[in-house]
Every structure is written in structure tokens, then in C-alpha cells.
Amino acid sequence: MSQVNWNNYACRDFYDELLEAPGKPRASADELCNMLARFSAEELAERKTAAEIAIRTMGITFTVYSEGAMIDRAWPFDIVPRIIPAHEWRKTEAGLKQRVQALNLFIDDLYHDQKVVKDKVLPAEVLAQSANFRPQCVGINPPHGIWAHICGSDLVRGGDGTLYVLEDNLRIPSGVSYMLENRNVTKRVLPELFASGKILPVDDYVAQLYDMLAAMSPRPGDDPQVVVLTPGIYNSAYFEHAYLAQQMGVELVQGSDMLVDDDDVVYMRTVEGLRRVDVIYRRVDDEFLDPEAFNPHSMLGVPGLMRAWRAGKVALANAPGAGVADDKVVYAFVPELIRYYLDQEPLLPNVPSYLCMFDEDRKYVLDHLDELVVKPANESGGYGMLIGPRSTKETRDEFARLIKENPRNYMAQPTLALSTTPTLANGLPQPRHVDLRPFILSGPETHVTTGGLTRVALVEGSLVVNSSQGGGSKDTWIVEVDEHAADAAEQEGV
């Protein structure tokens, strides 16, 4: 029976999350790698099958859209976890809190005095052409001055081991339910490794989410009525909507389940009659949230909801208009926004970026399309991108045309040597590229998930980790290790 031989693991070309070199696990991954090395290929296959059965039994699914059809698929999961040492994570956590604090101040500024534009920190044309700035939100003061209550910031590790922020998701970030379920499945499949107590827990997220939402209630003296607003069963993230509502013990509602009365109060229809709603965790896009204020044809929202929010009779998370900061062009200015609003140096670096709205940057991008990743400002899910090194001349020509037609809508970044981590393929661990989406809750207190959702490109050599385009996921372990031993290893150059 063949077994895992880490000496044969080809991690030489990229920074690997588990191994420093072939046959040499990192300090945080030593116990895991040693245990996997004792497994035969047959034993690994049995654990993988056990995970697949658990996922089907637990009903963990996601929806993909293909050729006009909607398909529910079992969540693609790899049993080999991604590991980050706790001492590194504490620095990352501090950087994420700093970043989201600055972004919330930025959003609040844009809907009030716009000092950041007047002081020429953010070019006026960036705001003027923002697809997600909502004039309907001007002058509104959400509870605690917070607009992006739930943020998912995507992190990637470059070839030198540095963690970079790739983008910030502040509209309706998704994926946290899969982070939680990945842990539940991993505990079933690799229970031996949780006995040591070195793996930090993630199951406090739901309680923290509920407490944050409840603290937003306009009736602080009463037991708040919190609901999760979903577009319905055909939404790709419906599993998550239902999961979070069930875990928090709150109602899952659709727009048709609620109304706004003449008193500007939101009510939920129940068999006992109307019940007041205090806080709405909404998973419906801005433009469909209220047909009175946005798209008049929307059947997903609640007529008058913006009126109720403006009157302070209901709290919304995330606040409408928060997506003004969820823009890949605004992303390039976040380090300056941190300096401007907090008078601090950024703790986490951005990926170097080129903004096509600037003549010099645009010329460079057009001359190097075969080397760069080009992204539209407001797409998500990995759609609408050009990955230069893997593109055809026809595709590059099309992107050149799009950039010239609407330069504000495009930015570009170098193709990063994304870190890898062992992933089961053909029965044995092989390196696959990964990213990481931690979730940050902003309320009276700020909380960052212990790790986050690690997404993995299951196809060899691919950099696309999105589940909608064939990616999968892993459990993410934040592991307590001896910091002195880890520092000594770094000084030795490993």
C-alpha cells in the first residue's frame, strides 16, 4: 500500500502553506503531516469518502448557473486543512480590523461631507463614476456610524510568504457558513488532531454575529426581532441564508413576508398577526431592496424599507450604499485611506495595482496584457477577468477595446505566484493554489474569524479558486505553536 511521502511532494516553485521544503513540514503543520504520512492511499480515500458522505448527509450545497439552468451541487471539499500559525494570524487580525475601520469611516464620509474628495485623497472622478454610490443614502446615520457590518476580505500569499489583501467584499459577502461547516466535517474526518487543543475554534462566529445584529436594534430596551432577508430558494447562497438564520434562531424571510406601515415601522406577517422587525440582515442587493427607492420592478424587497431605515425605525446590515467601497478601483486607495482617516501605516499590504483611468497606468496595462490580471471594478465571483498569461490574442484584443472605452472600470495587477497547500488529487496530496476569506464583524466590538474560508483551485496549475468556476475549499486551522521555535526557524532561512 502506497503512503504519503512528503519527500516527493513538489512544493519547490511556490510558497507552500504546510511544507518549508520537500520532506520538511512547517512547525505549525508538523503533527498533521506526520499523521498523514502514516496513512495509506486507501486510508486517505476512506477519509475523503467519509467527508463526501457527511456533506451529502448535512445537505451542504451551493448553486451554480450553467447554460440557463440552476444546479445544486454538493460543496466541493478537500480534507487536508490549510494551517496558519497563531502568532502570524494575530498580526493579520490587527491589520483586518484596521482596514475595515478605515473603510467604514470612508463610507460614512462619502455620504456626508466627502472630505476625502475635497482633500484630493480620492479623485473626484472615482466617486462620480462609482456604480455603487447610492444618492438615496446621503445624510443617513446608521447605528454606531457603521455601514459594512460584515466584511469578507480576500487574502493571498505571494512567493515571498507575504499575505496581501486582494480585495474587500462589503456589499453582501458570502461563504462564512461553509467555513463553519468545513470545520464540522473535518472534525468527523480527522478527529485525532483536535484532541491536542492547539487548533483554535471557529464556532463563536454565530453568537458574535447575533450579538452584533441585536446591538443595532432601534429598541435597545426590548428583546430585538432579528430576521435574515433572502431573495429566495433560487439564490446561489440560499444554503447560507437558511443556515445562518437557523443557527442564530431567527426568522428567515423574503420581501413578501414584510411590510412597512404608515408609522415607518417594518412588520413581519405571522400566523398570529403583524410582528415588529428591528434588525434585518439582508442578503438582497441594494437595487432590489426597496422598489420605492431603487428598482421599481423589484419583487424581492420591501416597499418603504429605505424610508423606515432613514427614520431610524429599523437597522439594516450591511447598510445600503456600503458597496461604494466594494470597488476594485477604490481598493487601490485603501492604504491612503488608512493613513488619512486613522493616521496609521497599513498593517497589511495591497497587491500592487494599475488603474486604467490614469494615462500612464493604462498605457502600461495595454502594453502588458499578456502578463497581468485585469479586473472590472464591480464584478465578483471571478467573472469578467482577464488572466493574461493564460489568455488568447483575441481575448486580449477584446479587453484592450473595453479598457479604452471605459478606463475607469478597469484595473490590473501582476499575476501573483499564489501559495499552495497539499490537496488530494489522484489519491495523494499534490500542491494546489489557495486564497483565504476571513470575515470581520463590526459593531460595538470588532471580531475577526479565527482564520476564514480557504478556497482552493482544484485544477492543477489553475489560479481560479471560486466554487462557481470549479474551485473547492478546505478547513483553515489557526494553530498555536512555540513562537520562539518558529522565529528560530525563520532566522535559519526556512
Side-chain angles (χ1 to χ4, degrees):
M1 293 190 299
S2 60
Q3 291 181 297
V4 175
N5 184 346
W6 293 114
N7 291 312
N8 297 331
Y9 179 76
C11 62
R12 297 177 182 84
D13 297 333
F14 301 94
Y15 182 101
D16 195 84
E17 299 287 336
L18 297 194
L19 279 81
E20 297 170 353
K24 190 170 185 180
R26 299 186 185 279
S28 56
D30 190 60
E31 189 174 350
L32 170 68
C33 290
N34 287 339
M35 187 191 80
L36 292 177
R38 294 193 295 270
F39 285 170
S40 65
E42 290 77 8
E43 288 170 318
L44 277 177
E46 288 173 3
R47 304 266 179 151
K48 183 175 185 292
T49 300
E52 292 168 352
I53 292 172
I55 287 168
R56 287 198 296 271
T57 302
M58 296 160 71
I60 308 171
T61 63
F62 74 106
T63 305
V64 294
Y65 301 92
S66 177
E67 298 179 356
M70 301 179 60
I71 305 169
D72 271 344
R73 290 183 177 167
W75 181 241
F77 175 74
D78 182 73
I79 67 170
V80 183
R82 185 248 191 95
I83 293 180
I84 301 173
H87 66 272
E88 180 191 15
W89 187 249
R90 282 187 277 271
K91 299 172 187 175
T92 305
E93 180 183 36
L96 291 168
K97 288 181 177 180
Q98 178 196 57
R99 192 175 182 94
V100 172
Q101 182 186 3
L103 286 168
N104 271 303
L105 291 168
F106 168 67
I107 299 167
D108 197 62
D109 183 16
L110 289 186
Y111 289 115
H112 291 88
D113 298 330
Q114 297 188 356
K115 292 179 180 178
V116 71
V117 177
K118 294 171 184 174
D119 290 341
K120 302 187 186 311
V121 176
L122 183 80
E125 58 265 38
V126 173
L127 177 60
Q129 299 180 49
S130 170
N132 291 305
F133 180 80
R134 307 295 179 203
Q136 300 90 333
C137 298
V138 170
I140 293 180
N141 296 296
H144 315 296
I146 294 169
W147 295 74
H149 307 86
I150 303 107
C151 174
S153 290
D154 292 343
L155 306 180
V156 292
R157 197 189 295 276
D160 63 352
T162 300
L163 271 177
Y164 295 91
V165 180
L166 182 65
E167 62 183 56
D168 303 291
N169 299 282
L170 301 105
R171 280 177 282 186
I172 307 176
S174 63
V176 75
S177 61
Y178 299 111
M179 176 197 82
L180 298 170
E181 290 288 53
N182 284 352
R183 177 59 52 89
N184 291 331
V185 173
T186 307
K187 282 182 176 178
R188 293 188 181 197
V189 176
L190 299 172
E192 308 95 320
L193 287 167
F194 288 88
S196 68
K198 294 179 181 178
I199 305 165
L200 300 186
V202 298
D203 50 10
D204 52 357
Y205 177 83
V206 172
Q208 291 169 349
L209 174 63
Y210 179 82
D211 289 346
M212 183 270 291
L213 294 170
M216 298 166 58
S217 174
R219 299 186 297 159
D222 298 314
D223 187 25
Q225 180 70 51
V226 179
V227 300
V228 176
L229 173 61
T230 177
I233 60 172
Y234 298 111
N235 184 267
S236 62
Y238 181 75
F239 168 82
E240 177 156 297
H241 308 164
Y243 176 89
L244 291 174
Q246 188 271 333
Q247 291 292 309
M248 288 192 289
V250 304
E251 296 290 341
L252 179 68
V253 299
Q254 294 182 239
S256 57
D257 297 323
M258 295 188 291
L259 61 89
V260 178
D261 215 336
D262 294 338
D263 56 2
D264 291 339
V265 171
V266 181
Y267 294 95
M268 174 174 55
R269 296 180 174 93
T270 74
V271 292
E272 291 90 13
L274 296 179
R275 186 189 308 167
R276 179 169 179 173
V277 173
D278 299 300
V279 183
I280 300 174
Y281 177 19
R282 55 101 180 190
R283 300 298 295 259
V284 173
D285 290 337
D286 285 359
E287 56 266 39
F288 301 106
L289 199 55
D290 178 355
E292 285 185 10
F294 300 113
N295 184 344
H297 304 294
S298 172
M299 303 294 288
L300 301 178
V302 185
L305 187 57
M306 287 293 289
R307 175 163 40 90
W309 181 52
R310 181 179 287 275
K313 300 291 183 69
V314 71
L316 301 176
N318 282 350
V324 70
D326 189 346
D327 179 313
K328 293 177 179 64
V329 173
V330 169
Y331 156 90
F333 292 93
V334 172
E336 281 305 314
L337 297 180
I338 291 171
R339 296 182 184 101
Y340 179 72
Y341 289 108
L342 304 180
D343 194 24
Q344 298 172 4
E345 283 301 307
L347 298 175
L348 291 175
N350 268 19
V351 176
S353 302
Y354 303 93
L355 301 183
C356 294
M357 62 184 289
F358 298 137
D359 292 343
E360 188 174 334
D361 283 14
R362 183 170 64 255
K363 183 179 185 307
Y364 180 85
V365 172
L366 292 171
D367 289 344
H368 296 83
L369 282 174
D370 60 333
E371 303 170 16
L372 300 170
V373 175
V374 181
K375 302 177 182 180
N378 291 291
E379 287 286 351
S380 60
Y383 292 103
M385 291 196 321
L386 170 78
I387 300 178
R390 294 183 170 85
S391 64
T392 63
K393 184 180 185 303
E394 291 76 15
T395 305
R396 292 194 296 275
D397 289 345
E398 173 65 10
F399 265 80
R401 182 185 66 80
L402 292 170
I403 290 168
K404 291 173 185 175
E405 286 182 358
N406 187 4
R408 158 62 176 88
N409 192 49
Y410 290 92
M411 59 93 75
Q413 296 169 328
T415 306
L416 294 178
L418 296 187
S419 64
T420 58
T421 195
T423 301
L424 286 189
N426 301 317
L428 291 172
Q430 297 182 18
R432 295 291 186 267
H433 295 290
V434 291
D435 77 351
L436 178 66
R437 178 175 291 181
F439 296 87
I440 307 99
L441 297 176
S442 298
E445 298 178 356
T446 304
H447 298 283
V448 180
T449 51
T450 311
L453 176 66
T454 286
R455 301 181 299 178
V456 55
L458 296 176
V459 177
E460 184 177 4
S462 173
L463 299 174
V464 180
V465 299
N466 306 80
S467 56
S468 58
Q469 300 192 50
S473 74
K474 295 171 167 285
D475 193 10
T476 308
W477 292 1
I478 306 301
V479 175
E480 291 285 3
V481 294
D482 184 340
E483 289 189 43
H484 299 296
D487 290 341
E490 288 181 11
Q491 290 170 8
E492 290 175 12
V494 295

